[in-house]
Amino acid sequence: DDLTSETRLQYLQIAEKELNRVSAIARRTLGFYREDAQEVEIDLRDLIDGVLAVYRNKIAGAVTVTTSYSEKPFIRAKAGEVRQILMNLFANAIDAVPEERGTLSIKVTSHQDMTSIEIKDNGHGIPKENLARVFEPFFTTKKEFGTGLGLWVTKELVVKNNGSIRVLSSTDQGEHGTIFELTFPSADGASLSQNSLAEKVGLS
């Protein structure tokens, strides 16, 4: 064994750091799994605004964020898991956009049975040869900075909540960027209105 004690210590420190990082991802994901055991009606306005607030300091002055909501932006799903989905996709978009003139657009559109969430950024885009693999476990283009688990976990959570996800992307100069489109079963928001009324009059 030609390794010195100092080199062994460095390797152990690197391994420990990587284990801690992966462990943090697992704890956060499992925490969201436990948060909601039942599907509920979700107001996407509140949920999306809450997730964006988490990244307020990171995007302030650097990323222009626009949101657009349909008249009835309600879905039926597990709130903690949808929050994890949005956090993963927003974080990826924020990391991808230019340091100056970065844009992130979130649009919610309601249909009869399904509601869609479009997340669009003007980042560098995903090369065509990688586009079909982005949801594969351990596939990453971030090299030492990525685990390749984020989008895989995202898709698993979407499917688990009876939804679907697709991605469109371009690396062409002047038209570069990525769009993730999510769809979830729609809800009418009636129970949300009743709950809000109950809270206002002190019944909950």
Side-chain angles (χ1 to χ4, degrees), residues 155-168:
K155 184 175 182 179
E156 292 295 308
L157 291 176
V158 170
V159 173
K160 186 170 180 279
N161 282 273
N162 303 307
S164 64
I165 182 170
R166 67 169 184 157
V167 57
L168 304 171

Side-chain angles (χ1 to χ4, degrees), residues 13-48:
Q13 289 173 337
I14 292 171
E16 183 180 16
K17 183 177 179 181
E18 182 64 15
L19 283 171
N20 287 338
R21 187 165 67 88
V22 174
S23 177
I25 294 172
R27 285 196 304 272
R28 186 171 69 245
T29 301
L30 290 173
F32 282 115
Y33 271 124
R34 290 193 295 267
E35 181 178 332
D36 298 296
Q38 301 295 325
E39 292 181 354
V40 296
E41 290 188 13
I42 301 168
D43 187 333
L44 287 174
R45 289 170 297 199
D46 293 339
L47 191 62
I48 290 172

Side-chain angles (χ1 to χ4, degrees), residues 108-201:
V108 175
T109 305
S110 297
H111 309 282
Q112 185 173 1
D113 299 319
M114 304 296 291
T115 293
S116 66
I117 309 169
E118 181 187 272
I119 302 166
K120 180 179 181 180
D121 67 62
N122 69 333
H124 44 69
I126 303 169
K128 290 181 180 179
E129 62 270 21
N130 294 335
L131 202 56
R133 302 188 61 195
V134 294
F135 296 115
E136 292 181 8
F138 303 110
F139 176 77
T140 179
T141 59
K142 296 181 180 180
K143 299 181 180 180
E144 69 271 19
F145 299 107
T147 62
L149 293 175
L151 288 178
W152 173 70
V153 168
T154 296
K155 184 175 182 179
E156 292 295 308
L157 291 176
V158 170
V159 173
K160 186 170 180 279
N161 282 273
N162 303 307
S164 64
I165 182 170
R166 67 169 184 157
V167 57
L168 304 171
S169 193
S170 173
T171 58
D172 295 341
Q173 188 173 3
E175 296 182 356
H176 54 81
T178 300
I179 299 174
F180 281 92
E181 185 179 63
L182 311 167
T183 59
F184 293 101
S186 295
D188 59 17
S191 63
L192 286 173
S193 299
Q194 293 169 3
N195 290 339
S196 297
L197 178 60
E199 290 172 4
K200 289 178 181 178
V201 298

